Amino acid sequence: MRYWAIVVSVIIPAHNEASVVGRLLSRLLADAAPGEFEVWVVANGCTDDTAEIAGAFADVKVLIAPEANKHAAMRLADEHAEGFPRLYVDADVEFGARDVRALAAAFDDPGVLAAGPSRALPPERRPWTVRWFYDVWDQLPVVRAGLFGRGVVGVSREGWERLRALPPLLGDDLAASLLFEPAQRRVVSESTVIVHPPRTAGALLRIRTRALVSTLQAADDSELSSASDSARTSLSDLRAIALASPVRATPKVAWFLVLTVATKIRARRAVRAKDFRTWHRDDTSR
């Protein structure tokens, strides 16, 4: 079959992901043919058993980096990986072999340089403060069309050449979304990634702060500044969501705005301090 002839490189940067990396790899390799995918796990700055767990999978190659740095981990794997399309996958998501194939097939279309899967957000065991935010966020046009917030980004060889030319950015998935024109990127409905949301409002605020700092950082980059506004939420989009179902949606939109204001305050503090390295990690979903 056509897919088995492709060696897709899957790169998984993993910092202290012992609790979830096995889940991802089990699902990724369960239906994969031998040699179908080239899988690299980069255990970066780990103090747990991430490398040992990943190394127990026969078809997985493990690299170890002393520093906890996602961007550096991705570049390290790039020095060893050979296949294209090339997929960068967060260790805390769930993504299967069938989803990899569907995502890789998107690059058969001329002009597609970057692609991401559709997103599933399980609501179980999340308080209303988290569920309401994602109920609104997942309806925003910019979120539906962008490649960010999916935990998986795929690039062609040409797309990879353009992406690696960028300086290190806190939000690598945001950079991949902004770097390419809408016609050059695609969200593949036949491919689905399960993204586990935070389980507390505090954890949600941390990762939303990281996302906004990434947006502000991108606005200062000459390659991305012209497109950075497209990653921002507009009031007209929020108004449309509220008007579509005033009784149910209006309280959720109000809560979304509260969290957004709190996020902006925290992100501006980080920008003033020129802190573009702190990784606001969510441990509650792991």
Side-chain angles (χ1 to χ4, degrees):
M1 291 181 65
R2 186 253 184 275
Y3 300 124
W4 268 250
I6 298 177
V7 177
V8 179
S9 286
V10 180
I11 292 175
I12 305 169
H15 169 64
N16 285 346
E17 300 287 12
S19 63
V20 291
V21 70
R23 178 185 67 188
L24 169 62
L25 293 172
S26 295
R27 182 162 182 164
L28 182 68
L29 298 171
D31 299 320
E36 183 181 1
F37 309 139
E38 178 192 40
V39 182
W40 293 90
V41 172
V42 187
N44 60 103
C46 292
T47 57
D48 64 3
D49 297 331
T50 296
E52 290 77 9
I53 292 171
F57 290 82
D59 294 326
V60 174
K61 303 170 185 177
V62 178
L63 297 170
I64 298 177
E67 180 185 6
N69 185 309
K70 183 178 181 181
H71 182 270
M74 292 163 60
R75 297 292 80 84
L76 176 61
D78 280 334
E79 295 176 6
H80 296 80
E82 298 179 353
F84 286 97
R86 187 158 298 176
L87 276 55
Y88 300 95
V89 181
D90 289 350
D92 61 333
V93 303
E94 296 184 57
F95 198 57
R98 185 176 302 176
D99 304 302
V100 173
R101 296 182 198 120
L103 194 61
F107 294 97
D108 289 342
D109 292 346
V112 176
L113 304 183
S118 62
R119 181 194 301 108
L121 296 163
E124 294 84 1
R125 297 176 62 187
R126 268 71 185 177
W128 69 267
T129 51
V130 173
R131 295 196 313 272
W132 280 19
F133 176 87
Y134 281 107
D135 285 347
V136 175
W137 183 79
D138 200 39
Q139 294 184 63
L140 295 170
V142 65
V143 172
R144 290 182 174 272
L147 300 182
F148 55 85
R150 300 177 188 277
V152 178
V153 175
V155 289
S156 67
R157 181 181 294 273
E158 181 183 349
W160 174 74
E161 293 283 356
R162 291 175 57 177
L163 191 61
R164 71 171 183 164
L166 290 175
L169 296 173
L170 189 61
D172 54 282
D173 54 353
L174 176 65
S177 190
L178 297 180
L179 183 61
F180 304 103
E181 299 292 332
Q184 296 174 326
R185 65 178 191 258
R186 179 167 301 174
V187 175
V188 181
S189 60
E190 297 83 5
S191 177
T192 302
V193 60
I194 298 175
V195 180
H196 294 275
R199 290 186 175 146
T200 68
L204 173 59
L205 185 58
R206 285 194 293 275
I207 65 170
R208 294 310 303 160
T209 299
R210 183 181 75 211
L212 184 53
V213 170
S214 299
T215 302
L216 296 173
Q217 186 184 19
D220 288 334
D221 185 273
S222 59
E223 289 285 334
L224 304 176
S225 58
S226 61
S228 62
D229 286 344
S230 66
R232 300 172 191 259
T233 301
S234 71
L235 289 176
S236 61
D237 290 335
L238 292 174
R239 189 180 302 112
I241 293 172
L243 291 176
S245 179
V247 174
R248 296 184 61 183
T250 299
K252 295 179 180 181
V253 170
W255 176 243
F256 181 93
L257 286 169
V258 168
L259 270 177
T260 299
V261 170
T263 299
K264 286 183 177 180
I265 292 171
R266 290 168 60 111
R268 285 170 180 165
R269 288 174 184 165
V271 171
R272 283 197 298 269
K274 300 186 183 302
D275 180 10
F276 295 112
R277 292 182 60 85
T278 300
W279 188 261
H280 301 276
R281 174 178 163 122
D282 165 37
D283 287 316
T284 66
S285 60
R286 288 169 166 81

